[in-house]
Structures are given as C-alpha cells and as structure tokens.
Amino acid sequence: MALRGLGRRISIGKRCFSSASEVEKRPRDGKQINLFSAINQALHIALETDSRAYVFGEDVGFGGVFRCTTGLADRFGRNRVFNTPLCEQGIAGFAIGLAAMGNRAIAEIQFADYIYPAFDQIVNEAAKFRYRSGNQFNCGGLTIRSPYGAVGHGGHYHSQSPEAFFCHVPGLKWLYRLAVEEVPERDYMLPLSQAEVIRQGSDITLVGWGAQLSVLERACDEAAKDGISCELIDLRTLIPWDKETVEASVRKTGRLLVSHEAPVTGGFGAEISASIAERCFLRLEAPVARICGLDTPFPLVYEPFYMPTKNKVLDAIKATVNY
Amino acid sequence: MAVSRLASSSSSLSKLLLRPLPAPPFSRSFSAIASDDDGTVLTIETSVPFTGHKIDPPSRSVDTTRNELLSFFHDMSVMRRMEIAADSLYKAKLIRGFCHLYDGQEAVAIGMEAAITKRDSIITAYRDHCTFLGRGGTLVEVFSELMGRRSGCSKGKGGSMHFYKKEAGFYGGHGIVGAQIPLGCGLAFAQKYSKDETVTFALYGDGAANQGQLFEALNMSALWDLPVILVCENNHYGMGTAEWRASKSPAYYKRGDYVPGLKVDGMDVLAVKQACKFAKEHALKNGPIILEMDTYRYHGHSMSDPGSTYRTRDEISGVRQERDPIERVRKLILTYEISSASELKDIEKGIRKEVDEAIRQAKESPMPDPSELFTNVYVKGFGVEAFGADRKEVKAVLP
C-alpha cells in the first residue's frame, strides 16, 4: 500500500506477533500478506517512483527490527536508505527539515514508546509548519512510521499506544493498518480519512483500529452465537477521522462500542464517544461503551488483566444491547 | 609511614609493618606476597595507562589487598554465573519480556563498588542486574524480579529493566535510552545540597552517548558544579550498531568538551576502581567528570539478539581470551599466590550452588496479587475503576 497524499502522516503499524486471526475476505484483487511485507512493498514502490524519497531510522539498513525495510538499502543504496544514531528528537527534526525541502522523508521510530523525545518536534515543528508560514513551507512529504501496541511481554516501554497525545494536534494525520490484510501487489492509492466497514450488522456498532480489530472480530463472532449482529468498523485514520461513516452506522444500529489498547481516560475513544453523542444523541439506545486499557502504566506481568480482551468486549456488547 | 616489603617469594614474615589504607600513588611498583595477614597492600599496575581529557590521569599503580582480590573474584563470578543462569531461565520461558545481560562487563560494577560507599548513588540503564547485585541486592531478589514474582526487588512489577534498591542508593533500572542521565544529575544536585560528601554515578552506553539529553545534563552539571560522574559503559555496540557507525567521535570521554574525561580499561577491575576513586574525589571538589569504560558484552544486546550478526565469533572469543575480567583476577591471584587454582574452582562450585538455590527459592515465590496492578499509580488511590469480564462482579474502586 502506497500511502500517498499531502499532509504530515504518522503511520502506525501493529507488530505481527499477536495472533492476528483470520481476516474476512474483502473484495479486492490481492493476496493476503502480513503488515511488514505490505509496508516493505510500499516502501519499495515509494522509493522506486519518487527519486527524492528517503527511508531512515535506527537499524533500518539491515532490514529493521521488524523487517519492514529489508532489501531497501541494497536496492536503492545507502544514500537513500540509511541508519541514524540513537536520537529520536534528532531523527524527527532532521526528517522535518528534509520534508520542508520538498522531499519524501520516511522516518522510522523503532517503537512507539520511544516517540516521546520527538514529541516536541512533531507537535511544534511539523504540525504547524504550513500554518505558521502561511503555506510557504510545509512538510507534507513527511511520514513517520512506528510499531505500537502490546505483544504479550513488552512491558512498560515496548507496548504503548500513544495515539491520544498526537490526535490532539491539528496538522497531523495518524493512521493504522491491520496486521494481516489483502493487499494488491501493484501501486495503488487508498484515500485517507475513510473508515472501512469490515462487517455489516444491525444491533451494535463496534469501532476499533489496528490490532484491536482482531479482538473485536472474535468478539463479534461470539456475539453472533447469541444472536447479536455486530457492525464492525476499522477507523484506519484517527485524525482526521471518518465521522460520517461511524455516524451512519450508529444511526442504523443505535449502539456504539469503541475499543483500544491505550488507557481509557483521555483515550481516543473519548473523542469518538463525545462526537457521536453530539451527533446521534436521540438515536442512541444505550451509552457509548469504551473497552480500553486500564488507567495504569502499561504493566509487565499484569498485561492479561490490563488489555481490553475479547471477553471484556463481549461483556460490554451484551450489556449495551440489553441496556 | 613506609611499607617495608620482601622481594622473596617465600615470605614467612607475617609481621610486616602495614598500612591498612591503600598507599598513595607514589608507592613502589613491585608487590609483596601476602601472607595470611590480609592487610598487606599489593600494588598492581593496570593493563594500560589511563588517558585523560583536560585532566591529569591518575597513576596506573593500584593498591589492593589479598582479600580484595579474592572478593573481586568471588563477586564477579557470582555475577557471571547469575547472568548465565538468567540466560537459561529465559530460554526456558520462566523469564519473559526483555532481558539484557551484563556478562563481560562485571569489572565495571565491581570496581565501582570498591571505590565508593552505599551512600553514593548509582543510576543506570536497563542492563542492571549486576549493578543491582553490586549495590547489595540478593540473588533471590534478582531472580524473583526477573520472573515477575512477589519477592523481587520491585515486587515483580518492574521486571528485568527496572531494578531498584533505595537503601543502597541504587536508582535503577531505566528503559528509555539516555533518559537516566539528567535524572542522575538531579540526584547529584540533591547530594550537593545536603552537603553529605557523596556523589552520583550516572551510567549510560555508547548508544546513549548520542542522545541530546546527555549534553543538556552535562551543561547543567558543569554550570552548577554538581558531584556527578557520568560513566559511559562503552561496549562498542549500540544494540547492533558499531560505535564508529553511530558516532562521529567514538572517543566518548572527550565528548564532554569542557567537562574533563578519563578513558579506562573497563575489563580491568583495578583500573575501574582507581578511576572511580579518582573521579569521586574530583567530583566532590570540582564538579562533573566523564569516565569512559572500555568494556565488552559477550551476549547480544538482549536475549532476542544472537549477538553474532554484527560482530564475528572470533572477536567475541578473542576478547574472552585476552581480556576477560574474571580471568585477569584469577591470574593475579595465582601469580601472587593468594589462593590455589583448586581453591578458586571450589569457590566457583560454591557459587553455582548458591545461584541454583536462589533460583529454587525464587521459583517458589508467588506472582503478585492482581490488585497490585492498580497500586502505586498515585500515592493515594485515585479511584481507578475497573471490572472483570463478567459484569456480575461489583465495580470496585481499587486502591
């Protein structure tokens, strides 16, 4: 998938360690590959089609810790695909400058947990560049890629989901993709800010993104056994997010459940919940449910308790439907 | 007070006039053979002289005693054995998560401890098992914490990367690379403020040496003359990246520019001890100093890294043969006839048993209670609400 378009993009991919369950086949001409291969293909296409595209970050040269950048250095050379030293703030700032000169800078932050030193650069430098220069400059060619989310043993600093911090910043775009999807092999464009209805249903709308979708899908399957028909939406872009699709779905079902790994307080589910409550207040049959991580630091041994698991989601589905 | 010495190796005179404290650097460079009296000062030369940056390096003649050398051997062997045992436990999936092993670098931890007290503070990154042990931690606490059990030093909530020991001034155990350095400078400020003649050792690696926060911290420490010693444990690889590929200048002891620095052979425990003693004296009088410990790790970056894709096996075994810290001390002990080879072997056997016993005890410790998930987020409970999958359970406001 080539991620094209303007606007500063931060693309978050889920690691493929989790048991990404069978994804329902969607009508597309493609073969099912995992996220890393898809990213790898996309990067190959991006570097091939744009001679001013660069990929850099910690350890990307040999292929990266998740193998997203394999083969790039050999194919495109070390001047376009190169390692940086261990300095996230430096990487982000450097990428912004490169993008401001009209290049397609694709920076990698090794784990989303490490993105915080770069926070100032992203929020203060990248996001506001076009705005503060009166459209003279922009870093629309900037993409920052980072794996996020829990793997089962990541502990405090290899498991976080920092989306809520960044979604609060106008000027950024924040994207997710599923762990396993059907992906065409050719170059193609997906519109950003368009959510996808993965499953049609009539009783309740479930909204999620990234790896959490596999959890939600399993919950849908279980709920179906109890005769509850769930509509599942993959939000895909968090900002700007596709309010219309979610609203249309909630108008149909009357119930909404949002689920994400990040802690519930101040998480992105809160934004979705508030917006939908504004738009669909009279249509809602039950309060919007949020099944999210707990309000603690991401734990080590307690990860199974912390996570928004299938059972928690299922429980909330039933409670919402029976409200 | 002169220390008279006998050049003869068959010393039976145990009534040498001795000074219990190490002699100043001007003592003669040949050593006495220790007899049963363990106060004899041995003066041994470090493997290489120190290199200084904007400072006169200390002498390479280090004073030590028979007992000290034996304790070095014992403590480093415990650390080595512990790390190897942790490797096996990890492969047996009893330790999960991340596990960064320190074997090869033991001399840094042990040498540092020999030069300081428990009232001085140490703060380091995530390769902290041995540093914790050096600060007085027990093997049971180490293995329990690694396996996430209640008897661990952080109650099982921290894991491999987050060992702490408040009573011994060990401030951990940090995951984000370089983030512990400004913290260390803060510790030093507090020490200076309370005028208790103590210092802080802030450890970081060659990978972290390129983080901006190091330089911010250096500037602040130098500006305010903080008693902080910044120790770069240079094992030459930041994860898989060799130092020359990440740093324009791999002379980390010079990176402080206006802050003086010293380059030390980190595989020589006596050199480390000398450097840390020197640094502590300097820091208390003059402010920050950088120590670059030239060391090496035998394992990969962590247990998910075989450690051989970015360096040759010959290199690893070469270092093991030429520079292994434990072997160096073993040779010294045998050369000065402090102990015999078989006695040393017995010590090692005893250590193996000790480690196995600690593992056994740690395995018996239970996992932390689930309610501990919510404790210590804030001082007082903030009323975190949570409930299980089955909503029939009462929504409880947990501490």
Side-chain angles (χ1 to χ4, degrees):
Chain A
M1 303 176 280
L3 299 171
R4 297 211 180 200
L6 304 168
R8 281 67 76 207
R9 247 164 287 105
I10 303 194
S11 149
I12 297 279
K14 176 68 176 83
R15 272 166 293 185
C16 212
F17 292 179
S18 66
S19 53
S21 54
E22 287 265 308
V23 169
E24 205 183 24
K25 280 204 179 299
R26 257 157 281 142
R28 243 196 252 158
D29 59 320
K31 55 180 193 148
Q32 200 156 30
I33 56 175
N34 70 32
L35 186 57
F36 312 127
S37 313
I39 291 177
N40 192 240
Q41 278 178 20
L43 289 173
H44 273 275
I45 293 172
L47 288 170
E48 199 179 293
T49 50
D50 185 347
S51 62
R52 292 174 76 195
Y54 309 90
V55 173
F56 49 91
E58 291 160 22
D59 297 309
V60 300
F62 82 92
V65 287
F66 294 110
R67 323 297 297 141
C68 294
T69 47
T70 32
L72 290 174
D74 293 330
R75 192 168 160 206
F76 298 102
R78 298 266 161 185
N79 284 336
R80 293 179 67 195
V81 180
F82 53 93
N83 291 334
T84 59
L86 213 168
C87 43
E88 284 73 22
Q89 187 172 19
I91 293 171
F94 174 89
I96 293 166
L98 197 54
M101 293 285 282
N103 299 293
R104 187 172 299 281
I106 305 170
E108 176 180 305
I109 299 289
Q110 200 163 74
F111 283 86
D113 310 55
Y114 306 163
I115 207 168
Y116 302 113
F119 194 77
D120 172 70
Q121 285 288 340
I122 295 170
V123 168
N124 278 330
E125 299 304 322
K128 302 173 168 66
F129 214 156
R130 189 189 296 265
Y131 190 86
R132 69 172 186 257
S133 68
N135 206 18
Q136 283 184 76
F137 289 106
N138 69 77
C139 39
L142 169 66
T143 304
I144 298 178
R145 260 195 49 245
S146 189
Y148 87 102
V151 279
H153 57 269
H156 306 289
Y157 299 114
H158 294 79
S159 319
Q160 292 177 50
S161 311
E163 69 262 8
F165 300 108
F166 293 94
C167 289
H168 194 55
V169 183
L172 298 179
K173 292 188 185 178
W174 193 265
L175 319 177
Y176 282 85
R177 284 299 175 269
L178 270 180
V180 179
E181 257 194 65
E182 281 206 355
V183 171
E185 282 177 352
R186 56 184 169 73
D187 185 5
Y188 69 98
M189 283 234 272
L190 280 180
L192 296 180
S193 300
Q194 215 178 68
E196 189 181 349
V197 180
I198 302 182
R199 236 178 241 234
Q200 301 273 358
S202 53
D203 293 325
I204 180 172
T205 303
L206 305 184
V207 173
W209 51 87
Q212 193 59 12
L213 285 169
S214 74
V215 173
L216 291 177
E217 278 185 327
R218 281 181 280 136
C220 283
D221 291 335
E222 292 267 331
K225 291 185 195 150
D226 287 321
I228 302 177
S229 159
C230 302
E231 178 143 306
L232 182 54
I233 297 183
D234 176 2
L235 208 53
R236 300 167 126 213
T237 307
L238 292 202
I239 44 161
W241 65 283
D242 190 349
K243 296 187 172 105
E244 281 71 31
T245 304
V246 179
E247 188 187 338
S249 172
V250 175
R251 288 206 176 281
K252 191 170 70 167
T253 63
R255 296 175 191 85
L256 177 62
L257 181 150
V258 186
S259 186
H260 56 70
E261 278 178 22
V264 59
T265 299
F268 198 68
E271 157 67 23
I272 299 177
S273 180
S275 294
I276 294 298
E278 266 174 353
R279 292 171 168 230
C280 309
F281 182 71
L282 291 173
R283 176 68 185 93
L284 281 170
E285 306 272 339
V288 176
R290 290 181 292 160
I291 301 302
C292 308
L294 301 173
D295 288 327
T296 68
F298 198 100
L300 181 59
V301 292
Y302 298 109
E303 189 170 323
F305 296 125
Y306 171 94
M307 294 289 283
T309 54
K310 176 193 78 169
N311 283 339
K312 287 187 190 175
V313 174
L314 188 57
D315 180 75
I317 291 175
K318 290 185 191 165
T320 310
V321 166
N322 296 325
Y323 188 76
Chain B
M1 201 159 46
V3 179
S4 56
R5 299 171 194 262
L6 279 178
S8 152
S9 55
S10 57
S11 165
S12 56
L13 297 176
S14 46
K15 288 88 177 170
L16 297 172
L17 193 62
L18 301 163
R19 233 173 95 163
L21 297 169
F26 51 75
S27 56
R28 280 159 287 183
S29 59
F30 61 89
S31 58
I33 301 305
S35 56
D36 292 339
D37 190 338
D38 54 332
T40 318
V41 172
L42 306 173
T43 305
I44 299 172
E45 291 228 312
T46 64
S47 59
V48 290
F50 299 103
T51 329
H53 166 73
K54 300 209 171 147
I55 195 166
D56 287 323
S59 153
R60 65 188 285 201
S61 302
V62 185
D63 288 326
T64 181
T65 68
R66 168 188 185 271
N67 269 10
E68 189 177 54
L69 284 175
L70 280 171
S71 77
F72 284 167
F73 180 82
H74 176 269
D75 295 341
M76 287 200 283
S77 301
V78 172
M79 290 181 176
R80 178 68 58 92
R81 187 73 222 130
M82 172 183 81
E83 295 295 68
I84 294 177
D87 177 303
S88 315
L89 286 174
Y90 192 92
K91 288 177 176 147
K93 300 219 184 219
L94 281 160
I95 300 177
R96 311 254 6 251
F98 296 94
C99 192
H100 307 87
L101 299 176
Y102 200 74
D103 52 322
Q105 299 183 212
E106 299 91 351
V108 177
I110 293 290
M112 193 178 291
E113 288 298 334
I116 61 178
T117 71
K118 294 292 188 285
R119 288 172 47 246
D120 297 304
S121 304
I122 297 185
I123 188 169
T124 184
Y126 44 78
R127 207 175 293 277
D128 57 353
H129 308 164
C130 298
T131 321
F132 171 75
L133 212 61
R135 287 267 89 182
T138 66
L139 287 167
V140 178
E141 282 175 322
V142 171
F143 288 116
S144 307
E145 188 61 39
L146 287 175
M147 294 195 276
R149 307 294 171 102
R150 239 178 265 206
S151 49
C153 52
S154 306
K155 304 200 188 117
K157 290 170 81 161
S160 160
M161 297 202 280
H162 306 291
F163 282 22
Y164 294 84
K165 196 169 179 64
K166 186 168 178 183
E167 325 80 73
F170 182 49
Y171 288 83
H174 299 269
I176 299 297
V177 169
Q180 74 279 6
I181 305 170
L183 265 70
C185 298
L187 297 176
F189 185 93
Q191 287 172 323
K192 179 169 179 163
Y193 199 89
S194 43
K195 296 199 170 88
D196 55 6
E197 298 293 300
T198 52
V199 296
T200 297
F201 283 79
L203 281 67
Y204 59 98
D206 45 294
N210 295 317
Q211 278 276 318
Q213 34 197 343
L214 164 60
F215 299 95
E216 292 181 10
L218 270 172
N219 184 49
M220 285 197 288
S221 319
L223 200 56
W224 300 326
D225 292 324
L226 301 180
V228 62
I229 295 121
L230 294 123
V231 181
C232 178
E233 290 184 287
N234 183 7
N235 57 23
H236 306 284
Y237 295 94
M239 212 156 84
T241 304
E243 58 180 347
W244 55 272
R245 289 203 295 129
S247 302
K248 178 68 178 170
S249 161
Y252 298 107
Y253 70 108
K254 287 189 187 166
R255 290 282 204 90
D257 185 21
Y258 43 84
V259 172
L262 206 60
K263 183 159 173 169
V264 185
D265 178 2
M267 306 295 262
D268 179 355
V269 64
L270 293 171
V272 174
K273 172 184 150 183
Q274 182 89 318
C276 291
K277 219 160 65 70
F278 176 79
K280 176 170 174 176
E281 282 160 19
H282 180 274
L284 282 171
K285 281 206 300 277
N286 306 321
I289 180 171
I290 297 182
L291 296 180
E292 181 189 336
M293 302 286 179
D294 183 353
T295 182
Y296 200 83
R297 53 166 163 83
Y298 297 140
H299 269 90
H301 165 74
S302 70
M303 287 306 297
S304 8
D305 172 22
S308 49
T309 51
Y310 47 86
R311 48 186 194 173
T312 61
R313 290 194 196 279
D314 286 339
E315 179 188 300
I316 305 172
S317 53
V319 175
R320 217 187 259 275
Q321 271 177 334
E322 308 285 316
R323 298 177 66 203
D324 185 88
I326 301 179
E327 291 311 308
R328 175 190 296 279
V329 174
R330 193 198 301 267
K331 278 198 204 99
L332 283 172
I333 291 177
L334 295 176
T335 309
Y336 291 104
E337 294 177 3
I338 297 171
S339 193
S340 73
S342 65
E343 280 170 351
L344 293 181
K345 276 265 182 295
D346 287 338
I347 293 178
E348 286 176 312
K349 279 203 203 111
I351 289 172
R352 211 177 246 267
K353 281 211 200 80
E354 213 182 307
V355 167
D356 289 339
E357 171 59 24
I359 293 177
R360 192 195 59 76
Q361 274 184 38
K363 278 184 186 165
E364 282 171 8
S365 175
M367 293 286 225
D369 193 80
S371 65
E372 289 274 344
L373 168 55
F374 304 101
T375 57
N376 306 130
V377 180
Y378 294 96
V379 176
K380 283 198 290 212
F382 206 52
V384 174
E385 282 191 343
F387 43 89
D390 180 354
R391 242 172 242 232
K392 291 200 192 77
E393 262 174 62
V394 174
K395 257 194 204 187
V397 175
L398 291 153

